[in-house]
Amino acid sequence: MTVEIKVPRLGWSMEEGTFVEWLKLDGDFVQAGQPLFSIEGDKAIQDVEAIGSGILRISPRGPENGEPVRVGVTLAFLVTADEADPFSTTEPQEPQPGKPSVPQPKPEVPQPKPARPDKPGPEVPRPSQPEIPPMEPPQHEPASPSFGSRQHGSDRRLGSATVRPRISPRALRVADELGIDWQEVNGSGRGGRIRECDVRAVTDGNRPTGRPRPAVARESTEDAARLALRRTIAARMTAGAQSTAPVTLTTTADATNLVNLRAQFKAAAAESKGVTPGYLAFITKLAAHALAEHSHLNQQWIDGRIETPNGVHIAVAVDTSAGLLAPVVRDVQALGIREIAARLVDLTTRAESGELTPVELTGGTFTISNLGAYGIDAFTPILNVPQCAILGLGRIERRPAVVDDQIVPRDQMILSLTFDHRIVDGAPAAKFLAALRQGIENPGPWLVT
């Protein structure tokens, strides 16, 4: 039974992705559930598994590595041993329903006129027919499963058995810049995938001397991948700005107690050699508490109706060389501050190296965008649809403040909340922002509950 392999939709807004690589060769026997190819969609690379078993037949007109592909395009077929290659012959056109099939007249073949008895023509010798050796039936042996195979261009169509290790796009770019033959680098990622840290670990003293990939091919691949990513970001930003009713509220929070609390955690971590939670980890935890009390800000607008998610799952914007990503910390309320800090470090590290999975980039119910590290005081964040709200964090700076009729220096930060007015009104949004401000100004009780 023939199984058609198409480009899947990896995200709710995905219309086009970037083809990364084939993980199987043309002619391989594939079991159901084995990875077939990798594709990048909605900012993450995902391995697509086979939905059936059979011999893989890849389309000769399929995409090359790094080329954009549209959702629903047929890439290959899985066939049985007694089925022909779907791409080796042209299928006859099926008649349209409701119209009778009209037989096409056969072309007339001119017949030689018989020679007249009184005028015999010259005798023409008949050409000899070349002997054609009998063709042996093609021998097909299922290839052993290979989870790291990779083929390019014509090699794939000719059935080459070249096997190359898998490498992340960021690691590939770094390898090309450093002139390192990445095929000789040992990968530490999942399934032996080569990461950026693996490439950078290759020192000048033990650097492989293989020839680097051509710069032209690298640039075209990077340009195609970057264009696809920018299209995804553009679609999300446009949807957040045009398909919603965005309103932004701002307030200033006194973060002096939060700064002091973090200093205590930092001192404790120095003694135990543990992880020091950053300000983003603290505010992520405080935001989860505020969302539990003001659940309207944790809702979503989906297909013209308001839905309430099960749990608080906060997406955190991360700036990477590939573009803006927003990995999700799930069930924040159930996590301690150190657990949140550890997850943020892990997600940020893997976001920068292109190791995040689509699951880790979806399912967020609220988003936090922190530009304070870049010296920004305040900004207007754009909604991450279908979420109701997004919180923008400015830098923490010591400024003069009036406390008990005295002007004293205090650590302050500006909070910017953009919310969808279709889901919630201004007053509930303001109450949420006020609750979060109170948590930042007096964080201790919030973090122990």
Side-chain angles (χ1 to χ4, degrees):
M1 178 179 178
T2 302
V3 178
E4 191 174 8
I5 306 300
K6 296 184 177 182
V7 177
R9 188 183 304 274
L10 303 181
W12 70 273
S13 62
M14 176 180 170
E15 297 296 336
E16 184 179 81
T18 300
F19 187 83
V20 178
E21 62 179 340
W22 282 103
L23 305 178
K24 294 292 183 180
L25 308 183
D26 184 60
D28 277 359
F29 182 80
V30 180
Q31 296 282 359
Q34 289 184 343
L36 279 179
F37 60 91
S38 297
I39 189 170
E40 183 175 7
D42 282 351
K43 312 176 187 178
I45 297 177
Q46 180 175 357
D47 293 345
V48 178
E49 299 179 350
I51 58 176
S53 301
I55 301 169
L56 178 64
R57 295 302 182 189
I58 300 175
S59 170
R61 297 181 298 275
E64 299 292 341
N65 297 351
E67 289 185 350
V69 287
R70 293 194 63 81
V71 172
V73 171
T74 299
L75 299 178
F77 287 93
L78 294 176
V79 299
T80 59
D82 56 351
E83 290 179 321
D85 185 349
F87 302 108
S88 62
T89 58
T90 303
E91 299 181 356
Q93 185 176 3
E94 297 181 358
Q96 297 182 0
K99 293 184 179 181
S101 176
V102 179
Q104 299 294 326
K106 296 183 179 180
E108 296 183 0
V109 180
Q111 300 294 333
K113 296 182 179 179
R116 294 177 59 183
D118 54 343
K119 293 184 179 181
E123 183 176 350
V124 180
R126 299 178 62 187
S128 60
Q129 300 293 331
E131 294 185 0
I132 302 176
M135 294 182 62
E136 297 182 359
Q139 301 295 324
H140 181 81
E141 296 182 0
S144 59
S146 58
F147 289 85
S149 59
R150 179 176 182 175
Q151 276 191 305
H152 298 264
S154 58
D155 290 343
R156 178 188 66 205
R157 296 169 189 141
L158 295 177
S160 170
T162 303
V163 177
R164 297 184 175 92
R166 298 175 57 200
I167 183 170
S168 71
R170 185 182 178 94
L172 177 60
R173 180 170 60 255
V174 173
D176 288 338
E177 293 173 353
L178 300 178
I180 295 175
D181 185 357
W182 57 267
Q183 299 182 56
E184 299 184 19
V185 177
N186 294 324
S188 62
R190 185 181 60 180
R193 187 182 183 89
I194 300 173
R195 305 165 59 189
E196 180 190 3
C197 59
D198 301 324
V199 176
R200 294 192 181 277
V202 179
T203 62
D204 294 335
N206 60 4
R207 177 180 298 175
T209 58
R211 185 177 64 181
R213 294 164 60 93
V216 174
R218 181 189 76 242
E219 291 175 357
S220 61
T221 300
E222 289 182 3
D223 289 345
R226 183 179 184 278
L227 179 59
L229 179 58
R230 295 315 307 176
R231 287 173 177 169
T232 301
I233 295 176
R236 287 186 173 274
M237 297 298 101
T238 302
Q242 296 183 355
S243 65
T244 64
V247 177
T248 301
L249 305 178
T250 60
T251 189
T252 300
D254 188 332
T256 303
N257 290 336
L258 179 62
V259 172
N260 294 335
L261 179 62
R262 184 178 181 273
Q264 297 175 29
F265 272 84
K266 187 175 182 179
E271 297 178 359
S272 61
K273 297 182 180 180
V275 177
T276 301
Y279 292 114
L280 180 59
F282 283 106
I283 296 178
T284 299
K285 180 66 173 180
L286 296 173
H289 277 288
L291 288 171
E293 296 180 2
H294 304 273
S295 58
H296 293 309
L297 276 296
N298 199 49
Q299 294 179 323
Q300 298 178 337
W301 184 278
I302 300 178
D303 296 332
R305 65 181 185 274
I306 298 175
E307 294 189 359
T308 302
N310 183 18
V312 176
H313 315 298
I314 297 181
V316 179
V318 177
D319 178 48
T320 72
S321 60
L324 181 65
L325 302 179
V328 179
V329 181
R330 303 188 185 278
D331 297 315
V332 180
Q333 280 185 282
L335 302 177
I337 185 63
R338 289 188 176 87
E339 290 178 290
I340 296 174
R343 294 197 183 186
L344 286 175
V345 171
D346 174 65
L347 291 172
T348 301
T349 301
R350 291 192 292 115
E352 293 173 347
S353 61
E355 296 289 324
L356 292 177
T357 65
V359 174
E360 293 171 316
L361 291 167
T362 57
T365 61
F366 185 86
T367 298
I368 297 178
S369 179
N370 179 22
L371 293 182
Y374 300 94
I376 300 300
D377 292 322
F379 62 101
T380 303
I382 298 177
L383 286 170
N384 186 10
V385 292
Q387 298 173 15
C388 173
I390 178 173
L391 176 68
L393 304 180
R395 62 175 173 171
I396 298 177
E397 186 181 28
R398 176 151 291 200
R399 305 185 185 99
V402 178
V403 179
D404 296 331
D405 294 331
Q406 298 292 324
I407 298 178
V408 295
R410 304 289 290 184
D411 292 308
Q412 301 179 53
M413 67 182 305
I414 298 177
L415 309 176
S416 303
L417 178 72
T418 298
F419 64 94
D420 190 345
H421 215 311
R422 299 176 303 173
I423 301 176
V424 67
D425 294 328
K431 292 178 181 178
F432 163 81
L433 195 57
L436 178 59
R437 184 184 67 244
Q438 293 172 6
I440 293 174
E441 294 178 347
N442 188 23
W446 291 55
L447 297 178
V448 298
T449 57

